[in-house]
């Protein structure tokens, strides 16, 4: 088997892993968890854990996380409003 055939086999395996046909796909769960991790709950969970372990470092992390989350949210809102695309329903008056 040549290297290109092995590479093709790995590519096919990766494709079928991502686009599998049976049940809940593993990548769906992984990507969903990764997507939700940016919503802020992870900050709170880590802060609570650190506060339980060491109050000083936990409170320091909480302050840093609040600043980071506020910056992240501000940049997200500004970016979302700056690059807003027009929706098809905005152009269709009779629908």
């Amino acid at each position: 088997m040549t290297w290109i055939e092995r590479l093709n086999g790995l590519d096919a395996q990766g494709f079928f892993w991502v686009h599998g046909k049976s049940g809940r796909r593993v990548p769906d769960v992984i990507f969903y968890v990764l997507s939700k991790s940016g919503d802020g709950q992870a900050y709170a969970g880590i802060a609570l854990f650190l506060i339980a372990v060491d109050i000083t470092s936990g409170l320091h992390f909480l302050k840093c996380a609040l600043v980071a989350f506020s910056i992240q949210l501000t940049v997200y809102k500004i970016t979302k409003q700056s690059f807003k695309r027009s929706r098809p329903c905005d152009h269709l008056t009779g629908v």
Side-chain angles (χ1 to χ4, degrees), residues 6-83:
R6 281 184 275 161
L7 182 63
N8 186 36
L10 287 172
D11 181 53
Q13 283 179 338
F15 176 84
F16 288 120
W17 182 69
V18 170
H19 302 286
K21 302 211 186 317
S22 62
R24 186 95 171 128
R25 299 181 311 205
V26 173
D28 286 349
V29 175
I30 293 170
F31 295 141
Y32 179 79
V33 169
L34 284 175
S35 173
K36 290 298 175 187
S37 70
D39 291 348
Q41 294 91 342
Y43 291 130
I46 294 169
L48 289 174
F49 173 75
L50 288 174
I51 288 171
V53 172
D54 179 22
I55 189 119
T56 306
S57 64
L59 291 175
H60 181 69
F61 176 82
L62 181 61
K63 290 175 192 173
C64 290
L66 287 173
V67 169
F69 189 68
S70 65
I71 292 170
Q72 175 186 353
L73 195 59
T74 304
V75 169
Y76 171 77
K77 293 287 186 184
I78 291 171
T79 305
K80 188 166 176 76
Q81 290 175 358
S82 298
F83 296 104

